[in-house]
């Protein structure tokens, strides 16, 4: 089964036979898949009334487990944004009723951000839709092939961890 990357690699091979084009065959496909995945993520989140950044914050709280709360500092580490950005995001999510703030019982100056019932419903719905979309991407692979792919991708990502 041929695809557009095969054509791209063949064209480069014709023009630059002196180069090893193996990376192009791999990363051009990863890049194309990433674009399709970004679109699927956006659709899953939009269908549940969320932007990508909103999902990221709500998902971090949801993954924390009951009672679905984190300090702003922990949210920063989970979502890799600056403190000013996180403050703005929490303000906006609180304004939508998806999270609430309350004083940190262990630090008079601190606050805790907690997922509301509405926030939990939104992130759960969006995550379920995302998994359904992602599962469709993997339909052509057997469970063993999916596992092999996960192992290979983990190996490729190791230097960046």
């Amino acid at each position: 089964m041929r695809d557009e990357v095969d054509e791209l690699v063949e064209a480069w091979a014709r023009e630059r036979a002196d180069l090893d084009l193996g990376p192009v065959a791999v990363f051009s496909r990863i890049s194309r898949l990433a674009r399709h995945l970004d679109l699927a993520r956006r659709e899953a989140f939009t269908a549940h009334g969320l932007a990508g950044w909103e999902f990221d914050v709500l998902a971090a709280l949801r993954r924390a487990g009951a009672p679905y709360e984190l300090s702003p500092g922990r949210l920063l580490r989970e979502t890799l944004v600056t403190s000013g950005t996180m403050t703005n995001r929490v303000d906006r999510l609180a304004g939508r009723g998806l999270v609430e703030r309350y004083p940190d019982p262990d630090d008079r100056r601190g606050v805790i951000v907690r997922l509301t019932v509405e926030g939990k419903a939104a992130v759960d719905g969006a995550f379920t839709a995302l998994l359904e979309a992602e599962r469709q991407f993997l339909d052509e692979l057997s469970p063993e092939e999916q596992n092999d792919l996960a192992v290979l991708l983990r190996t490729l990502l190791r230097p960046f961890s």
Side-chain angles (χ1 to χ4, degrees):
M1 176 175 11
R2 294 179 45 80
D3 65 9
E4 61 190 6
V5 175
D6 291 319
E7 295 172 16
L8 184 140
V9 170
E10 286 174 5
W12 274 117
R14 186 180 60 250
E15 297 300 317
R16 294 294 312 266
D18 58 313
L19 297 177
D20 171 15
L21 298 170
V24 174
V26 172
F27 292 109
S28 290
R29 288 184 175 96
I30 290 174
S31 176
R32 283 164 171 72
L33 185 59
R35 275 184 261 161
H36 291 290
L37 181 57
D38 283 342
L39 290 172
R41 290 175 63 88
R42 203 170 306 138
E43 287 176 20
F45 301 156
T46 300
H48 289 85
L50 298 175
W53 67 265
E54 291 173 313
F55 177 83
D56 291 344
V57 174
L58 298 176
L61 291 165
R62 181 66 167 100
R63 288 190 311 267
Y68 313 113
E69 60 187 27
L70 294 171
S71 69
R74 181 78 187 275
L75 275 172
L76 291 174
R77 288 188 296 279
E78 293 284 330
T79 60
L80 305 174
V81 298
T82 66
S83 61
T85 298
M86 183 54 66
T87 298
N88 181 279
R89 289 180 175 185
V90 170
D91 286 346
R92 291 171 67 184
L93 289 167
R96 291 189 55 201
L98 300 174
V99 302
E100 60 188 7
R101 283 190 183 98
Y102 67 93
D104 186 338
D106 299 323
D107 179 0
R108 288 186 304 168
R109 297 173 296 145
V111 297
I112 298 293
V113 180
R114 180 182 292 160
L115 198 58
T116 63
V117 171
E118 295 82 5
K120 184 176 179 283
V123 73
D124 282 355
F127 188 58
T128 299
L130 175 61
L131 284 176
E132 191 174 305
E134 289 178 346
R135 198 167 283 110
Q136 290 176 15
F137 281 87
L138 297 172
D139 275 350
E140 298 295 317
L141 301 178
S142 70
E144 294 80 19
E145 289 171 323
Q146 291 178 37
N147 185 62
D148 291 346
L149 180 58
V151 169
L152 291 169
L153 291 171
R154 182 183 304 114
T155 302
L156 282 178
L157 287 169
R158 191 172 304 143
F160 303 103
S161 296

